[in-house]
């Protein structure tokens, strides 16, 4: 069955007014981890732009799950601020999800004050530290943190939570043979590597009940030889479906190894150098950025092929992501059997993109994947510097 992308779609019992989701793109708008007016306005504007659902990016389930000091940590004190955000989005007719994650060994010891948690002792070049292999007690605590954070998200008015199982964050580190070198029942075979991620999902489900939408963002591939491979990802998707996920967002890449695999296009080295706070990092990036941050050529719907393999293997709703920029792209995603699409850069470029497509004013976004938005999220808040110039001139 092929859906019209502008027809209503269902995530469990939650009905979205259309099948377009604004994906999580880290906003960089939470100094001190607080909910701010710019964050609320950012998501209100996305909702006003016509998406079915917008996703608030990376909220850590605990203080030690942060990569940066300016990331939100889920706690009861921020629920009133989050409630203002969800009210603002609902008033524009859209739903809103909160992405919950733990970054594992990507955490900076300087930010969290202790050695970062990890499946195994693996060195993180970005944080310049080794992760501390997690004990069963650590795993129980983190699973509880995901469950408690999901409950608080619901209390704050979020219509869904999106659990981050991709991009090399903690649960992705467990799934990946590159970072999971454990010899106990949590490492080795794919079944074992899946054990902790599935325990987290089970705890969240127990906590929020059977009907609350729990979306999982997972990797189709880590993007390098020793990481999670596409054939394994199909099994991961099947096990997440059996474990109670409401829908899956199909992404890829591993921040510490293949950071631009999830986006493709230009490597904005000099913009990234500019926004680094420490001279050490500036020099490191300037000298070695080209080596550590590989370039992947961009093509529209760049995750379609691997996503189709998952489509054939599961029945739950699937969200196609990656380089969706045009009316033709939206239609092709629907015709390929996906239930929803998620868009990042097309909406950062222009939050009115969908209205313009629907009115027939444009056929495709003018985003050219310069990827300077990635640097902007560390320089006061995510935005597209090219679009601002374009609209000023236009
Ligand atoms: C500026 C920026 C920030 C991002 N931050 C996140 C994030 O916090 N969490 C996440 O899961 N993905 C993040 N991503 C990846 C996007 O969610 C998405 O997977 C990717 O951009 C591909 O979609 P697109 O081609 O529509 O932009 C980010 C992407 C960009 C461009």
């Amino acid at each position: 069955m092929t859906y019209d992308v502008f027809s209503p779609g269902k995530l469990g019992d939650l009905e979205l007014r259309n099948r377009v989701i604004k994906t999580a793109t880290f906003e960089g708008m939470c100094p001190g981890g607080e909910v701010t007016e710019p964050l609320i306005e950012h998501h209100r504007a996305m909702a006003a732009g016509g998406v079915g659902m917008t996703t608030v990016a990376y909220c850590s389930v605990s203080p030690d799950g942060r990569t940066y000091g300016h990331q939100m940590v889920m706690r009861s004190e921020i629920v009133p601020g989050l409630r203002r955000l969800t009210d603002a989005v609902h008033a524009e007719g859209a739903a809103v999800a909160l992405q919950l994650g733990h970054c594992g060994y990507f955490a900076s010891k300087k930010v969290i004050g202790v050695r970062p948690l990890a499946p195994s002792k693996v060195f993180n070049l970005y944080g310049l530290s080794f992760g501390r292999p997690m004990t069963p007690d650590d795993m129980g605590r983190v699973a509880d943190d995901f469950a408690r954070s999901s409950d608080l998200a619901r209390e704050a008015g979020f219509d869904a939570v999106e659990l981050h199982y991709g991009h090399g964050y903690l649960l992705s580190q467990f799934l990946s043979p590159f970072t999971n070198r454990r010899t106990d029942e949590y490492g080795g075979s794919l079944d074992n590597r899946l054990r902790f991620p599935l325990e987290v999902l089970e705890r969240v489900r127990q906590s929020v009940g059977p009907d609350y939408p729990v979306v999982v963002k997972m990797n189709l591939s880590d993007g390098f030889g020793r990481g999670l491979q596409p054939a394994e990802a199909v099994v991961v998707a099947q096990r997440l479906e059996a474990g109670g996920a409401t829908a899956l967002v199909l992404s890829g890449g591993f921040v510490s190894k293949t950071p631009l695999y999830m986006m493709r296009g230009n490597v904005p080295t000099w913009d990234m150098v500019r926004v680094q706070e420490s001279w050490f990092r500036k020099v490191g990036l300037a000298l070695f950025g080209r080596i550590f941050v590989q370039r992947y050529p961009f093509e529209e719907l760049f995750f379609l092929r691997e996503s189709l393999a998952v489509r054939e293997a599961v029945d739950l709703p699937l969200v196609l992501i990656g380089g969706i920029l045009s009316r033709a792209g939206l239609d092709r995603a629907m015709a390929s059997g996906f239930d929803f699409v998620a868009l990042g850069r097309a909406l950062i470029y222009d939050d009115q993109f969908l209205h313009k497509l629907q009115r027939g004013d444009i056929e495709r976004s003018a985003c050219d994947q310069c990827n300077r938005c990635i640097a902007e999220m560390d320089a006061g808040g995510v935005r597209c510097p090219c679009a601002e110039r374009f609209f000023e001139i236009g």
Side-chain angles (χ1 to χ4, degrees), residues 75-157:
R75 56 201 195 281
S76 51
E77 290 82 346
I78 65 169
V79 168
L82 290 173
R83 168 61 77 175
R84 280 191 291 122
L85 188 155
T86 58
D87 285 346
V89 171
H90 290 151
E92 299 288 353
V96 52
L98 180 66
Q99 182 177 61
L100 292 172
H102 190 296
C103 70
Y105 86 129
F106 292 165
S108 155
K109 196 173 165 200
K110 238 171 77 189
V111 171
I112 65 172
V114 288
R115 252 178 82 190
L117 296 179
S120 313
K121 191 176 171 187
V122 184
F123 187 67
N124 172 18
L125 195 63
Y126 289 79
L128 296 178
S129 58
F130 282 98
R132 176 172 72 72
M134 287 171 75
T135 64
D137 280 352
D138 293 322
M139 289 186 226
R141 197 266 289 163
V142 170
D144 284 346
D145 286 336
F146 269 94
R148 181 187 45 81
S149 300
S150 302
D151 279 338
L152 287 174
R154 186 162 64 166
E155 189 185 320

Side-chain angles (χ1 to χ4, degrees), residues 23-26 57-58 99 164 167 217 251 262-263 302 321-323 342-345 348 373-374 377 382:
T23 190
T25 53
F26 184 61
Y58 204 81
Q99 182 177 61
H164 207 335
H167 299 175
K217 188 167 187 177
S251 187
M262 70 190 78
M263 292 168 217
F302 53 80
I321 200 171
L343 276 61
R345 286 164 295 180
I348 295 176
C373 48
I374 302 169
M377 69 190 185
V382 73

Side-chain angles (χ1 to χ4, degrees), residues 170-367:
L170 180 66
L171 299 169
S172 172
Q173 289 160 28
F174 267 84
L175 291 170
S176 179
F178 171 68
T179 34
N180 185 344
R181 303 179 188 173
R182 299 176 76 98
T183 51
D184 62 4
E185 71 270 34
Y186 290 97
S189 67
L190 180 58
D191 268 354
N192 281 356
R193 281 180 276 133
L194 265 160
R195 196 176 306 279
F196 177 52
L198 288 172
E199 285 173 4
V200 169
L201 180 58
E202 189 183 349
R203 277 291 294 116
V204 170
R205 251 300 154 237
Q206 277 168 357
S207 205
V208 297
D211 301 325
Y212 187 68
V214 178
V215 176
V216 177
K217 188 167 187 177
M218 58 164 276
N219 272 5
L220 293 156
S221 160
D222 289 344
F224 60 97
R226 289 154 69 200
L228 187 86
Q229 301 302 316
E232 289 187 317
V234 171
V235 180
V236 171
Q238 289 171 323
R239 301 292 298 279
L240 291 171
E241 177 174 39
T246 310
L248 303 175
V249 181
L250 302 171
S251 187
F254 210 88
V255 170
S256 60
K257 291 282 287 181
T258 52
L260 284 193
Y261 187 83
M262 70 190 78
M263 292 168 217
R264 319 285 163 109
N266 180 52
V267 182
T269 311
W270 292 109
D271 289 275
M272 293 191 311
V273 169
R274 180 174 52 84
V275 300
Q276 293 303 316
E277 276 174 16
S278 89
W279 278 101
F280 178 72
R281 278 172 179 270
K282 273 187 199 288
V283 174
L285 249 176
L287 290 177
F288 301 113
R290 286 280 174 205
I291 300 170
F292 292 118
V293 187
Q294 315 86 332
R295 187 180 194 287
Y296 297 93
F298 178 85
E299 56 173 326
E300 262 202 85
L301 275 58
F302 53 80
F303 281 134
L304 180 60
R305 192 169 49 84
E306 288 102 330
S307 300
L308 281 170
V310 175
R311 181 64 296 174
E312 279 171 24
V314 297
D315 294 322
L316 82 174
L318 291 180
V319 184
L320 185 73
I321 200 171
I324 302 173
L325 286 177
S326 64
R327 178 71 214 220
L330 295 172
D331 291 343
R332 188 162 168 222
M334 294 292 113
S336 306
F338 295 93
D339 305 81
F340 295 93
V341 289
L343 276 61
R345 286 164 295 180
L347 292 168
I348 295 176
Y349 183 87
D350 184 2
D351 55 35
Q352 293 297 307
F353 173 61
L354 286 184
H355 288 321
K356 290 180 184 172
L357 273 192
Q358 265 187 302
R359 286 197 304 261
D361 295 351
I362 56 170
E363 281 292 317
R364 64 178 288 121
S365 164
C367 168

